[in-house]
Amino acid sequence: MIRKAIIKKNINTSEIHHVIGHNGSVFFKLFLIYFLVLAWFVLIYLVLDRYIDWKYLKRIFALLGLIALVKFCLDFFDLYLDSLVLVDTGIILYLWEWLLEYKTESFDRNKVESIEFNQKWIRDKLFIKWDITIRLEHWIEFPFENVSNPKRQAEKILQYKKRFTVPVIQEDPTSENDKKFDMLVEALWWVVKDYMERNNGQWEDKKEW
């Protein structure tokens, strides 16, 4: 996958376990906007070409169409590469900024406390897309908009957290009490032993006297 290869190269990680991207409706909306822009350019060109006889008119509108196409490709990759990335070191929010510029925010997977998802508009229900918010410790939030199957993505993140979480071994309080009791018994034994040895020594002295 192109997205995974580009992200892996930029964030310099050994392995990417899962990538969460935007819902397909986001790309459809982008395509529809630029299609209407290009159609508008064509319509304007056809009207002007009927009334204006200028040899550079076609070149100007061809250049405008090319600029719109390049801008569409850049905006497409801007949305396509924006992702939540699950890697060995934690979770990374990868945001493509412009051309070769990008921004990343990372956080420890063990700090994830909850994952919320909601729909804001009717069109979200129509296109089955959700916004998810990863809530960390101290009420820190990482929002990521326009996601498909949020429940499945949330399960992926929680399974990933559970998979790499090192279990904390808690000591049994009864075993701690047993240790203290053994230490007390051992101390008493040494006291009694010392007392018996002293008494035996005094008895031997009296016998000799």
Side-chain angles (χ1 to χ4, degrees):
M1 183 183 288
I2 298 175
R3 174 169 56 189
K4 186 177 285 188
I6 294 175
I7 293 174
K8 186 175 181 180
K9 180 180 179 181
N10 289 333
I11 63 177
N12 191 24
T13 183
S14 59
E15 185 177 358
I16 293 178
H17 299 282
H18 186 59
V19 177
I20 302 174
H22 291 301
N23 179 271
S25 62
V26 176
F27 305 102
F28 176 76
K29 177 183 176 182
L30 181 69
F31 173 79
L32 184 61
I33 290 172
Y34 277 93
F35 177 80
L36 293 175
V37 169
L38 290 175
W40 184 247
F41 282 165
V42 172
L43 181 62
I44 294 175
Y45 167 74
L46 292 176
V47 172
L48 293 178
D49 187 54
R50 178 175 293 185
Y51 298 101
I52 299 176
D53 185 15
W54 189 34
K55 63 178 181 179
Y56 295 109
L57 186 63
K58 183 182 290 187
R59 295 179 183 178
I60 290 174
F61 276 90
L63 181 61
L64 289 174
L66 181 61
I67 292 173
L69 181 61
V70 172
K71 183 67 167 58
F72 166 77
C73 293
L74 292 175
D75 289 345
F76 176 86
F77 273 101
D78 184 20
L79 290 172
Y80 179 70
L81 293 174
D82 287 352
S83 310
L84 276 172
V85 188
L86 278 59
V87 298
D88 289 334
T89 55
I91 301 175
I92 298 176
L93 178 62
Y94 183 93
L95 299 174
W96 184 267
E97 295 290 326
W98 180 254
L99 291 179
L100 300 178
E101 297 180 5
Y102 61 92
K103 180 175 68 174
T104 60
E105 294 184 53
S106 59
F107 49 92
D108 191 347
R109 55 183 167 264
N110 294 325
K111 294 183 179 179
V112 176
E113 291 190 343
S114 64
I115 302 173
E116 301 175 359
F117 39 90
N118 60 78
Q119 292 177 313
K120 297 179 180 178
W121 311 102
I122 297 177
R123 67 172 179 266
D124 291 350
K125 297 182 182 295
L126 180 64
F127 291 106
I128 318 176
K129 63 177 182 176
W130 302 69
D131 298 340
I132 66 174
T133 302
I134 301 177
R135 193 182 301 278
L136 309 179
E137 297 175 349
H138 311 298
W139 295 94
I140 300 173
E141 295 182 348
F142 276 84
F144 192 71
E145 299 180 343
N146 304 316
V147 175
S148 300
N149 300 321
K151 188 175 181 180
R152 177 175 174 271
Q153 306 298 355
E155 288 175 353
K156 281 276 187 181
I157 295 174
L158 294 176
Q159 288 174 2
Y160 164 75
K161 175 187 175 182
K162 185 177 180 181
R163 176 183 171 189
F164 289 93
T165 299
V166 178
V168 178
I169 301 175
Q170 297 182 347
E171 292 188 0
D172 188 359
T174 57
S175 64
E176 186 68 24
N177 293 333
D178 292 341
K179 289 180 181 178
K180 292 180 179 179
F181 179 76
D182 292 340
M183 291 174 63
L184 180 61
V185 171
E186 185 177 357
L188 289 173
W189 183 83
W190 282 106
V191 170
V192 172
K193 182 181 179 183
D194 184 61
Y195 175 78
M196 293 297 293
E197 288 178 351
R198 287 182 181 179
N199 283 346
N200 288 337
Q202 291 177 0
W203 175 254
E204 291 293 336
D205 291 341
K206 287 180 179 180
K207 276 182 73 175
E208 292 175 1
W209 184 79

